[in-house]
Amino acid sequence: EHLLDDLVDRVAREIPHPVRGGDWKAAMRARAISIHQVLMRHRWATMLFVSRVNIGPTMLRLVDATLGCLREAGFSYPMADHAWNTLDAFTYGFTLQRLNFPFEPKEYASAAAKFLPMIPPEQFPYLNGLSQELIAGRHDGLQHLELGLDLLLEGLDRLRERR
């Protein structure tokens, strides 16, 4: 267990800490993108990050800097906790999906064509329609970390402003 904790902490050393006192959304966006990039380089580490109580000194500093950035942006402690955990859940989930998706991006259109007979438009009109977009090359099927982060950060900003 100590060895696994140490591995998490070593990987976490590659994640820059968010800067406090500036643009909190830019800091949280950069943090999430950095986490994703680091975990894509250390493909084995994502499950360790999500399945352990990460209490090594590097992780503790990273979490403290994250909370500090959010607190200084006007989040209460409970909202900072929710914001940090929501962003991490999205980032880790996005990374796990990217690491484990059964197709490479260049295979999306051919996979959609292969599965199209299983999704007749009478039963699954919208899934069939999306598949048609992929097959025709009008949509690449790629999920984008930045788009999800934009949605989350804008929503968190609205919650922060309301409180």
Side-chain angles (χ1 to χ4, degrees):
E1 293 300 310
H2 293 297
L3 177 62
L4 295 175
D5 289 340
D6 188 51
L7 287 170
V8 168
D9 217 57
R10 285 177 188 267
V11 171
R13 289 178 194 162
E14 297 179 33
I15 301 167
H17 294 187
V19 178
R20 294 190 305 260
D23 180 347
W24 72 270
K25 287 193 278 187
M28 291 298 106
R29 173 189 263 285
R31 179 185 179 276
I33 290 169
S34 293
I35 289 171
H36 176 69
Q37 290 170 342
V38 166
L39 293 175
M40 291 301 289
R41 282 194 304 273
H42 302 285
R43 301 170 78 84
W44 51 269
T46 306
M47 282 307 296
L48 289 178
F49 269 64
V50 302
S51 64
R52 312 192 65 69
V53 177
N54 296 310
I55 56 170
T58 304
M59 284 299 287
L60 291 174
R61 284 190 293 275
L62 177 61
V63 170
D64 190 68
T66 301
L67 290 171
C69 179
L70 293 167
R71 285 285 296 143
E72 290 183 20
F75 286 87
S76 66
Y77 275 111
M79 279 306 300
D81 184 41
H82 291 304
W84 154 52
N85 280 292
T86 299
L87 288 165
D88 278 5
F90 171 73
T91 304
Y92 295 147
F94 184 92
T95 302
L96 284 169
Q97 185 176 27
R98 179 65 52 93
L99 289 169
N100 293 290
F101 200 71
F103 306 111
E104 292 297 320
K106 65 180 188 265
E107 300 172 314
Y108 288 0
S110 62
K114 176 181 171 187
F115 290 109
L116 194 60
M118 295 179 215
I119 48 175
E122 311 79 43
Q123 283 184 280
F124 309 105
Y126 303 107
L127 188 53
N128 183 284
L130 178 60
S131 297
Q132 298 286 354
E133 294 291 306
L134 281 162
I135 294 164
R138 292 185 294 266
H139 175 53
D140 62 12
L142 295 174
Q143 302 306 310
H144 301 280
L145 180 68
E146 293 83 2
L147 175 61
L149 289 172
D150 286 345
L151 294 169
L152 286 173
L153 291 167
E154 288 303 315
L156 289 168
D157 198 27
R158 287 190 191 124
L159 287 172
R160 180 185 62 89
E161 289 173 353
R162 279 196 297 205
R163 297 182 193 265

